[in-house]
Structures are given as C-alpha cells and as structure tokens.
Amino acid sequence: MAIITLPAAGAARTRPAALRRLLAAAAAWYAERRTIAALARLDAHLLRDIGLAERVETRAVRRMLCTD
C-alpha cells in the first residue's frame, strides 16, 4: 500500500510567489546588464551630459533602476 502525502495548505501559495520573485530578480538583472551595455556605448561627453563619470559604475545603474 502506498502512502500519499499532501502538501501543507500554504505550500501551494508560496511556490508561485517564489517563482514571481525569481522572475522579477532575473528581469531586474537583465535590465541592469542591458543599461550598462547601452551606457558603455556612449562617449565621455554624452555620459557627462547625463551626469555620469566616463567609466560607468554599476552602482550608478542600480540607483537609476531602483524602484524601492
């Protein structure tokens, strides 16, 4: 005879939430990488115009993209 165990009542709700958080983190990381790549293509004059140093800092991009 096989024993079947059912997940706890809250377990089904946490999996989609965890997946949403994982996808949101992946999307944020991708946006950060895309922004850094786009800024790296700009020359020093354009970077100064938007208030960034010639070398694009990852921290600056994170501050720009931060939604908290």
Side-chain angles (χ1 to χ4, degrees), residues 7 11 18 23 40 54 59:
L23 291 175
E54 188 169 339
R59 287 179 308 196

Side-chain angles (χ1 to χ4, degrees), residues 43-64:
D43 64 359
H45 182 267
L46 289 173
L47 288 172
R48 279 194 308 271
D49 282 350
I50 61 173
L52 293 174
E54 188 169 339
R55 195 180 66 131
V56 176
E57 293 287 335
T58 306
R59 287 179 308 196
V61 173
R62 285 191 183 126
R63 281 194 306 266
M64 287 188 298

Side-chain angles (χ1 to χ4, degrees), residues 7-31:
R13 285 179 277 164
T14 59
R15 286 190 189 125
L19 181 60
R20 271 193 299 275
R21 284 192 308 271
L22 177 65
L23 291 175
W29 176 85
Y30 182 69

